[in-house]
Amino acid sequence: MRVALSSPFSPVAVLAAMVAAVAVLCSVPTSAELTSAFRSDFDEVVLIDGMSSPTDLDVAPDGSDLLLMCEQGGAIYAVTGAATTSDDSDVTHYEIGDLSRLMCHNGSRGLVGIAFHPNFDIQTSKEGDGSMYVYTYYTALGKGDCYTGKWEVDELPAKEGTINVLSRFPLLGDPSSLAKGALELDMQNEEILLETALQMSHNHNGGDIAFGSDGMLYLTLGDGLSNKVKNDKGLPLEQATDALFGKIIRLTPDGSIPEDNPFTPQNGYENAIFCGKGNDGYSGSSKKPCMEVYISGLRNPFRFAFNPDKDNADGSPMFFINDVGGSSYERILNARKGANYGYPDVKGPCTEDGCEDPTKHGWDRAYHWYSHDSERGACISDGTFIPAAAGWPAEFTDSYIFGEYKLG
């Protein structure tokens, strides 16, 4: 598979990831379809050819010419030379680690998310200083094997299946050197930050990792096709705050719980627990919410994007969630702390009572949605805010663009 970008460089990570990451969601377009998707006043540059199911890409937070890229099968690469190139002649990529021995990667399972530490800087970061970490999100074997026969979660706890793992690995080497082979992951010192509940289906894993303007780690979790299971209050697991299905979670860079998360003892939830740390991804009681939960009511929030130019009025990071839909609607959600976007009761603008305002039932409303057809498509793949300093045409100022993969 090819990984491409359109110039100018600033949004390269998301534009390249639009091409790469959705291989685990929908069918892959041909090269002709890929080329036709770019506007005539943009240039297409193929950075790397011959990749095997690339799933995510992250640009170093210091703005340097260093990127991370990963493949679904577990390989992780450093990429240099992409910032200034007009072709692929100056682009170098080399493997810095391989997680394949830790993983299941059939279906939609695998290594699907990667990120630098938010304080990483090629000029100042040194081994052991706390900023030399690479964060990953991948599917690991839980109980049984990687090829469980069930399509949906029909009970909790499940008796077999896989788990999804958020972890970080120390980055070794000299980051100030962009030479090939300068960096490698310390594969012997993985630090597991969170594990989800057992999931029998290979679908709906979520898996986007990013750090907000508040320095906190945000991670998307899919519902694992768990919408038939309800908690002790009758809520589907996507909406239940006591289970890590269909959620956005928020952690500190070292994997602890921020005190200002919505469901913490500091906010009145005295019985709240860390569900993803030693508790199998759920608490077993609606009276004990998961402290890491930030947003609920999602189906498969495969990718999300922060606004680089502004935060919300309350000071929290502004970001949009691209929630992959089922057979009817795709959704873009304007993320809000503590929000419940209502899936599976809400699909697009509609509930079981009809297509009315879901806020009447206590659910939060999507910012944008579209139905499935030949013109709008059927699989939202990614999105990005266009930074004010990106140098794009004026019509893109203060805009959010997103990828629709079924349309190529």
Side-chain angles (χ1 to χ4, degrees), residues 347-380:
K347 298 177 178 68
C350 303
T351 68
E352 292 183 357
D353 298 327
C355 294
E356 58 181 37
D357 187 352
T359 61
K360 294 179 180 179
H361 300 277
W363 295 305
D364 290 87
R365 187 179 181 88
Y367 179 82
H368 177 72
W369 60 85
Y370 59 93
S371 59
H372 292 183
D373 60 38
S374 59
E375 294 182 357
R376 297 185 182 94
C379 185
I380 188 168

mmCIF file of all heavy atoms in Angstrom, residues 347-380:
data_model
loop_
_atom_site.group_PDB
_atom_site.id
_atom_site.type_symbol
_atom_site.label_atom_id
_atom_site.label_comp_id
_atom_site.label_asym_id
_atom_site.label_seq_id
_atom_site.Cartn_x
_atom_site.Cartn_y
_atom_site.Cartn_z
ATOM 1 N N LYS A 347 -28.739 6.880 16.245
ATOM 2 C CA LYS A 347 -27.978 6.640 15.016
ATOM 3 C C LYS A 347 -28.170 7.861 14.131
ATOM 4 O O LYS A 347 -29.270 8.117 13.641
ATOM 5 C CB LYS A 347 -28.464 5.366 14.318
ATOM 6 C CG LYS A 347 -28.289 4.101 15.160
ATOM 7 C CD LYS A 347 -28.853 2.881 14.444
ATOM 8 C CE LYS A 347 -28.636 1.610 15.249
ATOM 9 N NZ LYS A 347 -29.426 1.586 16.496
ATOM 10 N N GLY A 348 -27.098 8.622 13.921
ATOM 11 C CA GLY A 348 -27.237 9.883 13.198
ATOM 12 C C GLY A 348 -28.130 10.823 13.986
ATOM 13 O O GLY A 348 -27.921 11.053 15.171
ATOM 14 N N PRO A 349 -29.189 11.362 13.364
ATOM 15 C CA PRO A 349 -30.121 12.224 14.084
ATOM 16 C C PRO A 349 -31.294 11.456 14.683
ATOM 17 O O PRO A 349 -32.205 12.063 15.245
ATOM 18 C CB PRO A 349 -30.612 13.168 12.983
ATOM 19 C CG PRO A 349 -30.650 12.283 11.769
ATOM 20 C CD PRO A 349 -29.472 11.338 11.911
ATOM 21 N N CYS A 350 -31.308 10.154 14.544
ATOM 22 C CA CYS A 350 -32.512 9.372 14.809
ATOM 23 C C CYS A 350 -32.411 8.515 16.070
ATOM 24 O O CYS A 350 -31.335 8.026 16.429
ATOM 25 C CB CYS A 350 -32.821 8.455 13.623
ATOM 26 S SG CYS A 350 -33.029 9.344 12.061
ATOM 27 N N THR A 351 -33.561 8.337 16.705
ATOM 28 C CA THR A 351 -33.719 7.398 17.803
ATOM 29 C C THR A 351 -34.836 6.433 17.421
ATOM 30 O O THR A 351 -35.425 6.531 16.347
ATOM 31 C CB THR A 351 -34.097 8.123 19.111
ATOM 32 O OG1 THR A 351 -35.424 8.661 18.988
ATOM 33 C CG2 THR A 351 -33.133 9.273 19.401
ATOM 34 N N GLU A 352 -35.157 5.518 18.323
ATOM 35 C CA GLU A 352 -36.251 4.590 18.047
ATOM 36 C C GLU A 352 -37.592 5.314 17.934
ATOM 37 O O GLU A 352 -38.542 4.790 17.358
ATOM 38 C CB GLU A 352 -36.321 3.524 19.144
ATOM 39 C CG GLU A 352 -35.133 2.572 19.137
ATOM 40 C CD GLU A 352 -35.256 1.488 20.186
ATOM 41 O OE1 GLU A 352 -36.239 1.520 20.948
ATOM 42 O OE2 GLU A 352 -34.368 0.617 20.245
ATOM 43 N N ASP A 353 -37.657 6.517 18.490
ATOM 44 C CA ASP A 353 -38.903 7.294 18.431
ATOM 45 C C ASP A 353 -38.998 8.155 17.178
ATOM 46 O O ASP A 353 -39.964 8.894 17.005
ATOM 47 C CB ASP A 353 -39.020 8.193 19.667
ATOM 48 C CG ASP A 353 -39.084 7.385 20.951
ATOM 49 O OD1 ASP A 353 -39.639 6.269 20.914
ATOM 50 O OD2 ASP A 353 -38.580 7.863 21.978
ATOM 51 N N GLY A 354 -37.981 8.073 16.317
ATOM 52 C CA GLY A 354 -38.001 8.866 15.108
ATOM 53 C C GLY A 354 -36.814 9.797 15.051
ATOM 54 O O GLY A 354 -35.978 9.847 15.955
ATOM 55 N N CYS A 355 -36.715 10.535 13.969
ATOM 56 C CA CYS A 355 -35.586 11.437 13.766
ATOM 57 C C CYS A 355 -35.892 12.802 14.369
ATOM 58 O O CYS A 355 -36.274 13.752 13.688
ATOM 59 C CB CYS A 355 -35.268 11.552 12.277
ATOM 60 S SG CYS A 355 -34.665 10.002 11.574
ATOM 61 N N GLU A 356 -35.734 12.855 15.681
ATOM 62 C CA GLU A 356 -35.963 14.089 16.414
ATOM 63 C C GLU A 356 -34.715 14.416 17.209
ATOM 64 O O GLU A 356 -33.728 13.681 17.166
ATOM 65 C CB GLU A 356 -37.157 13.943 17.353
ATOM 66 C CG GLU A 356 -36.989 12.805 18.352
ATOM 67 C CD GLU A 356 -38.194 12.658 19.263
ATOM 68 O OE1 GLU A 356 -39.318 12.854 18.792
ATOM 69 O OE2 GLU A 356 -37.975 12.354 20.434
ATOM 70 N N ASP A 357 -34.756 15.502 17.961
ATOM 71 C CA ASP A 357 -33.602 15.943 18.738
ATOM 72 C C ASP A 357 -33.314 14.949 19.864
ATOM 73 O O ASP A 357 -34.130 14.792 20.785
ATOM 74 C CB ASP A 357 -33.901 17.321 19.323
ATOM 75 C CG ASP A 357 -32.687 17.937 19.998
ATOM 76 O OD1 ASP A 357 -31.673 17.230 20.131
ATOM 77 O OD2 ASP A 357 -32.769 19.107 20.387
ATOM 78 N N PRO A 358 -32.162 14.242 19.840
ATOM 79 C CA PRO A 358 -31.873 13.263 20.887
ATOM 80 C C PRO A 358 -31.662 13.890 22.259
ATOM 81 O O PRO A 358 -31.714 13.185 23.273
ATOM 82 C CB PRO A 358 -30.592 12.578 20.386
ATOM 83 C CG PRO A 358 -29.967 13.545 19.458
ATOM 84 C CD PRO A 358 -31.100 14.284 18.818
ATOM 85 N N THR A 359 -31.421 15.212 22.312
ATOM 86 C CA THR A 359 -31.233 15.843 23.616
ATOM 87 C C THR A 359 -32.499 15.790 24.465
ATOM 88 O O THR A 359 -32.433 15.928 25.684
ATOM 89 C CB THR A 359 -30.777 17.308 23.454
ATOM 90 O OG1 THR A 359 -31.776 18.047 22.742
ATOM 91 C CG2 THR A 359 -29.474 17.378 22.678
ATOM 92 N N LYS A 360 -33.640 15.564 23.826
ATOM 93 C CA LYS A 360 -34.889 15.432 24.585
ATOM 94 C C LYS A 360 -34.857 14.216 25.493
ATOM 95 O O LYS A 360 -35.602 14.132 26.478
ATOM 96 C CB LYS A 360 -36.079 15.334 23.622
ATOM 97 C CG LYS A 360 -36.341 16.591 22.804
ATOM 98 C CD LYS A 360 -37.526 16.395 21.870
ATOM 99 C CE LYS A 360 -37.799 17.642 21.053
ATOM 100 N NZ LYS A 360 -38.943 17.462 20.113
ATOM 101 N N HIS A 361 -34.011 13.249 25.148
ATOM 102 C CA HIS A 361 -33.903 12.022 25.939
ATOM 103 C C HIS A 361 -32.635 12.001 26.791
ATOM 104 O O HIS A 361 -32.301 10.969 27.374
ATOM 105 C CB HIS A 361 -33.917 10.810 25.009
ATOM 106 C CG HIS A 361 -35.157 10.690 24.182
ATOM 107 N ND1 HIS A 361 -36.324 10.119 24.652
ATOM 108 C CD2 HIS A 361 -35.419 11.076 22.908
ATOM 109 C CE1 HIS A 361 -37.251 10.154 23.704
ATOM 110 N NE2 HIS A 361 -36.722 10.724 22.641
ATOM 111 N N GLY A 362 -31.923 13.126 26.828
ATOM 112 C CA GLY A 362 -30.721 13.204 27.642
ATOM 113 C C GLY A 362 -29.441 12.849 26.923
ATOM 114 O O GLY A 362 -28.371 12.814 27.544
ATOM 115 N N TRP A 363 -29.521 12.561 25.617
ATOM 116 C CA TRP A 363 -28.323 12.255 24.849
ATOM 117 C C TRP A 363 -27.792 13.520 24.186
ATOM 118 O O TRP A 363 -28.537 14.468 23.935
ATOM 119 C CB TRP A 363 -28.625 11.220 23.766
ATOM 120 C CG TRP A 363 -29.028 9.880 24.304
ATOM 121 C CD1 TRP A 363 -28.334 9.106 25.175
ATOM 122 C CD2 TRP A 363 -30.230 9.169 24.001
ATOM 123 N NE1 TRP A 363 -29.015 7.952 25.441
ATOM 124 C CE2 TRP A 363 -30.195 7.952 24.724
ATOM 125 C CE3 TRP A 363 -31.336 9.417 23.184
ATOM 126 C CZ2 TRP A 363 -31.210 7.009 24.668
ATOM 127 C CZ3 TRP A 363 -32.353 8.485 23.117
ATOM 128 C CH2 TRP A 363 -32.280 7.287 23.854
ATOM 129 N N ASP A 364 -26.507 13.527 23.904
ATOM 130 C CA ASP A 364 -25.901 14.663 23.213
ATOM 131 C C ASP A 364 -26.036 14.494 21.709
ATOM 132 O O ASP A 364 -25.990 13.385 21.179
ATOM 133 C CB ASP A 364 -24.439 14.791 23.620
ATOM 134 C CG ASP A 364 -24.290 15.254 25.059
ATOM 135 O OD1 ASP A 364 -24.295 14.392 25.963
ATOM 136 O OD2 ASP A 364 -24.181 16.468 25.270
ATOM 137 N N ARG A 365 -26.172 15.617 21.036
ATOM 138 C CA ARG A 365 -26.448 15.628 19.603
ATOM 139 C C ARG A 365 -25.141 15.646 18.801
ATOM 140 O O ARG A 365 -24.161 16.285 19.196
ATOM 141 C CB ARG A 365 -27.283 16.861 19.264
ATOM 142 C CG ARG A 365 -27.801 16.942 17.824
ATOM 143 C CD ARG A 365 -28.621 18.214 17.649
ATOM 144 N NE ARG A 365 -29.159 18.331 16.310
ATOM 145 C CZ ARG A 365 -30.323 17.818 15.923
ATOM 146 N NH1 ARG A 365 -31.057 17.150 16.794
ATOM 147 N NH2 ARG A 365 -30.758 17.987 14.698
ATOM 148 N N ALA A 366 -25.123 14.955 17.678
ATOM 149 C CA ALA A 366 -23.958 14.975 16.785
ATOM 150 C C ALA A 366 -23.798 16.353 16.158
ATOM 151 O O ALA A 366 -24.778 17.066 15.904
ATOM 152 C CB ALA A 366 -24.116 13.918 15.698
ATOM 153 N N TYR A 367 -22.576 16.746 15.889
ATOM 154 C CA TYR A 367 -22.297 18.009 15.196
ATOM 155 C C TYR A 367 -22.695 17.900 13.725
ATOM 156 O O TYR A 367 -23.223 18.834 13.143
ATOM 157 C CB TYR A 367 -20.811 18.326 15.328
ATOM 158 C CG TYR A 367 -20.388 19.599 14.640
ATOM 159 C CD1 TYR A 367 -20.557 20.829 15.255
ATOM 160 C CD2 TYR A 367 -19.800 19.566 13.368
ATOM 161 C CE1 TYR A 367 -20.161 22.004 14.628
ATOM 162 C CE2 TYR A 367 -19.401 20.727 12.738
ATOM 163 C CZ TYR A 367 -19.590 21.940 13.367
ATOM 164 O OH TYR A 367 -19.200 23.099 12.743
ATOM 165 N N HIS A 368 -22.428 16.741 13.129
ATOM 166 C CA HIS A 368 -22.742 16.519 11.712
ATOM 167 C C HIS A 368 -22.973 15.029 11.506
ATOM 168 O O HIS A 368 -22.373 14.196 12.183
ATOM 169 C CB HIS A 368 -21.582 16.996 10.829
ATOM 170 C CG HIS A 368 -21.783 16.751 9.362
ATOM 171 N ND1 HIS A 368 -22.676 17.466 8.605
ATOM 172 C CD2 HIS A 368 -21.213 15.846 8.509
ATOM 173 C CE1 HIS A 368 -22.642 17.032 7.351
ATOM 174 N NE2 HIS A 368 -21.773 16.053 7.273
ATOM 175 N N TRP A 369 -23.853 14.708 10.595
ATOM 176 C CA TRP A 369 -24.068 13.312 10.231
ATOM 177 C C TRP A 369 -24.455 13.255 8.756
ATOM 178 O O TRP A 369 -24.852 14.252 8.162
ATOM 179 C CB TRP A 369 -25.186 12.681 11.086
ATOM 180 C CG TRP A 369 -26.521 13.365 10.939
ATOM 181 C CD1 TRP A 369 -27.475 13.142 9.986
ATOM 182 C CD2 TRP A 369 -27.028 14.424 11.754
ATOM 183 N NE1 TRP A 369 -28.547 13.982 10.155
ATOM 184 C CE2 TRP A 369 -28.304 14.775 11.241
ATOM 185 C CE3 TRP A 369 -26.543 15.104 12.874
ATOM 186 C CZ2 TRP A 369 -29.078 15.781 11.810
ATOM 187 C CZ3 TRP A 369 -27.313 16.101 13.442
ATOM 188 C CH2 TRP A 369 -28.573 16.415 12.898
ATOM 189 N N TYR A 370 -24.309 12.104 8.172
ATOM 190 C CA TYR A 370 -24.778 11.913 6.802
ATOM 191 C C TYR A 370 -25.200 10.472 6.630
ATOM 192 O O TYR A 370 -24.663 9.563 7.254
ATOM 193 C CB TYR A 370 -23.717 12.316 5.770
ATOM 194 C CG TYR A 370 -22.398 11.582 5.846
ATOM 195 C CD1 TYR A 370 -22.163 10.439 5.069
ATOM 196 C CD2 TYR A 370 -21.381 12.037 6.673
ATOM 197 C CE1 TYR A 370 -20.940 9.773 5.117
ATOM 198 C CE2 TYR A 370 -20.151 11.382 6.731
ATOM 199 C CZ TYR A 370 -19.948 10.253 5.959
ATOM 200 O OH TYR A 370 -18.745 9.590 6.017
ATOM 201 N N SER A 371 -26.199 10.285 5.768
ATOM 202 C CA SER A 371 -26.739 8.953 5.535
ATOM 203 C C SER A 371 -25.932 8.247 4.447
ATOM 204 O O SER A 371 -25.164 8.869 3.708
ATOM 205 C CB SER A 371 -28.211 9.033 5.127
ATOM 206 O OG SER A 371 -28.356 9.812 3.951
ATOM 207 N N HIS A 372 -26.103 6.951 4.359
ATOM 208 C CA HIS A 372 -25.356 6.140 3.399
ATOM 209 C C HIS A 372 -26.022 6.170 2.028
ATOM 210 O O HIS A 372 -27.189 5.802 1.897
ATOM 211 C CB HIS A 372 -25.294 4.690 3.878
ATOM 212 C CG HIS A 372 -24.476 4.504 5.102
ATOM 213 N ND1 HIS A 372 -24.229 3.280 5.666
ATOM 214 C CD2 HIS A 372 -23.827 5.397 5.894
ATOM 215 C CE1 HIS A 372 -23.468 3.428 6.735
ATOM 216 N NE2 HIS A 372 -23.225 4.701 6.896
ATOM 217 N N ASP A 373 -25.307 6.617 1.032
ATOM 218 C CA ASP A 373 -25.761 6.496 -0.352
ATOM 219 C C ASP A 373 -24.556 6.659 -1.270
ATOM 220 O O ASP A 373 -23.430 6.868 -0.813
ATOM 221 C CB ASP A 373 -26.873 7.497 -0.694
ATOM 222 C CG ASP A 373 -26.450 8.947 -0.515
ATOM 223 O OD1 ASP A 373 -25.290 9.283 -0.827
ATOM 224 O OD2 ASP A 373 -27.278 9.754 -0.068
ATOM 225 N N SER A 374 -24.791 6.578 -2.564
ATOM 226 C CA SER A 374 -23.691 6.582 -3.529
ATOM 227 C C SER A 374 -22.989 7.930 -3.597
ATOM 228 O O SER A 374 -21.853 8.015 -4.075
ATOM 229 C CB SER A 374 -24.213 6.214 -4.920
ATOM 230 O OG SER A 374 -25.225 7.127 -5.339
ATOM 231 N N GLU A 375 -23.626 8.999 -3.140
ATOM 232 C CA GLU A 375 -23.012 10.319 -3.187
ATOM 233 C C GLU A 375 -22.298 10.670 -1.893
ATOM 234 O O GLU A 375 -21.268 11.334 -1.900
ATOM 235 C CB GLU A 375 -24.066 11.377 -3.498
ATOM 236 C CG GLU A 375 -24.668 11.257 -4.890
ATOM 237 C CD GLU A 375 -25.661 12.357 -5.177
ATOM 238 O OE1 GLU A 375 -25.917 13.181 -4.266
ATOM 239 O OE2 GLU A 375 -26.180 12.396 -6.300
ATOM 240 N N ARG A 376 -22.859 10.248 -0.752
ATOM 241 C CA ARG A 376 -22.273 10.604 0.540
ATOM 242 C C ARG A 376 -21.318 9.542 1.059
ATOM 243 O O ARG A 376 -20.455 9.821 1.871
ATOM 244 C CB ARG A 376 -23.379 10.836 1.570
ATOM 245 C CG ARG A 376 -24.311 11.988 1.256
ATOM 246 C CD ARG A 376 -25.293 12.192 2.408
ATOM 247 N NE ARG A 376 -26.243 13.255 2.117
ATOM 248 C CZ ARG A 376 -27.440 13.055 1.583
ATOM 249 N NH1 ARG A 376 -27.805 11.819 1.250
ATOM 250 N NH2 ARG A 376 -28.251 14.057 1.350
ATOM 251 N N GLY A 377 -21.474 8.305 0.622
ATOM 252 C CA GLY A 377 -20.599 7.244 1.075
ATOM 253 C C GLY A 377 -21.171 6.475 2.246
ATOM 254 O O GLY A 377 -22.362 6.564 2.556
ATOM 255 N N ALA A 378 -20.292 5.699 2.931
ATOM 256 C CA ALA A 378 -20.793 4.825 3.995
ATOM 257 C C ALA A 378 -19.723 4.472 5.018
ATOM 258 O O ALA A 378 -19.888 3.525 5.769
ATOM 259 C CB ALA A 378 -21.358 3.538 3.385
ATOM 260 N N CYS A 379 -18.611 5.226 5.075
ATOM 261 C CA CYS A 379 -17.557 4.870 6.022
ATOM 262 C C CYS A 379 -16.658 6.071 6.274
ATOM 263 O O CYS A 379 -15.756 6.341 5.486
ATOM 264 C CB CYS A 379 -16.742 3.692 5.492
ATOM 265 S SG CYS A 379 -15.505 3.087 6.644
ATOM 266 N N ILE A 380 -16.908 6.809 7.355
ATOM 267 C CA ILE A 380 -16.055 7.948 7.682
ATOM 268 C C ILE A 380 -14.722 7.415 8.204
ATOM 269 O O ILE A 380 -14.678 6.555 9.070
ATOM 270 C CB ILE A 380 -16.735 8.890 8.686
ATOM 271 C CG1 ILE A 380 -15.907 10.163 8.847
ATOM 272 C CG2 ILE A 380 -17.008 8.209 10.016
ATOM 273 C CD1 ILE A 380 -16.630 11.264 9.575
#
